Amino acid sequence: MRGRDISKEDLYESVKTLVETEDKHIHLDQQKLFTLFSIAFQYLLFLSTKKPGAFIIRIEDSALAEKLAKKSKDPSTRRFLQSLMLPRKLKYQRSTFYLDFFHIGSWSLTADIPKDKIQGAIVVKNTSSKPMTEIDMDEEGEVDPMAHLPKDYFLSSLTEFVPKTLTIAYEWENEGGLPLKVVQFPFIRKEKERVAGLTLSKEIDLDEID
């Protein structure tokens, strides 16, 4: 167990909050990325036992997925995501979890899932990268098929038909006006931390520091 893992009590109460939230589409907008992913994933795991089907985990890119697999704040979430990285499809009891990224080139598995089988999704936005529509060419110099899609297509393409979505995005503006309910957890607070006589800004996400 990692010393900074989320406590079982905080994890339980946070998942309970999500279970009791009736809104279909939830936005987790606090700054603790790895903590929020653990909460969202454990909720999705719980949901998969109640409403078996297909569940999508859509992360901005593979580099962020690797960080989440290493730094999420509970061991079962880390193990599950590590197992899901390849081949990006994993069976759990009567449900199946799929991993894809913000580029439609990674949607080959999820595109074939019958829409009525998809019960939930987690979307994880990285605050440090450019919106996916700012680049007209992909890494191989070809025209990027995402370039002319809406900036929030990574999420709006799911909220159109997925019964439950959880979006983890810090300091992200919902410019498209998607019907998202902001949910926050009281144990996650913005605080000033003092290190060797220096005051760190409360905006710094200590989860991002190794």
Side-chain angles (χ1 to χ4, degrees), residues 44-55 91-97 114-120 163:
L44 212 67
L45 210 60
F46 170 79
L47 184 63
S48 74
T49 65
K50 302 299 181 181
K51 297 181 178 180
F55 293 83
K91 187 80 173 178
Y92 176 74
Q93 295 186 12
R94 294 181 294 159
S95 295
T96 304
F97 284 74
K115 289 185 178 181
D116 61 343
K117 299 294 185 183
I118 301 176
Q119 297 295 335

Side-chain angles (χ1 to χ4, degrees), residues 159-186:
T159 56
E160 291 176 354
F161 66 92
V162 179
K164 196 77 173 187
T165 68
L166 299 99
T167 301
I168 301 172
Y170 179 56
E171 295 188 334
W172 169 71
E173 294 186 11
N174 180 13
E175 296 178 357
L178 298 174
L180 306 181
K181 170 68 173 181
V182 174
V183 174
Q184 295 188 337
F185 306 107

Side-chain angles (χ1 to χ4, degrees), residues 62-74:
S62 59
L64 180 58
E66 290 175 1
K67 285 184 179 180
L68 290 167
K70 293 178 181 178
K71 298 184 179 183
S72 292
K73 294 303 180 179
D74 77 288

Side-chain angles (χ1 to χ4, degrees), residues 101-117:
F101 307 106
F102 281 16
H103 197 284
I104 60 174
S106 70
W107 298 0
S108 57
L109 286 176
T110 50
D112 292 335
I113 307 171
K115 289 185 178 181
D116 61 343
K117 299 294 185 183

Side-chain angles (χ1 to χ4, degrees), residues 4 34 67 71 206-210:
R4 295 175 61 192
F34 303 119
K67 285 184 179 180
K71 298 184 179 183
L206 296 180
D207 274 349
E208 296 286 356
I209 301 174
D210 288 325

Side-chain angles (χ1 to χ4, degrees), residues 33-34 59-69 124-126:
L33 171 65
F34 303 119
I59 300 172
E60 183 152 356
D61 52 45
S62 59
L64 180 58
E66 290 175 1
K67 285 184 179 180
L68 290 167
V124 189
K125 182 85 176 69
N126 191 339

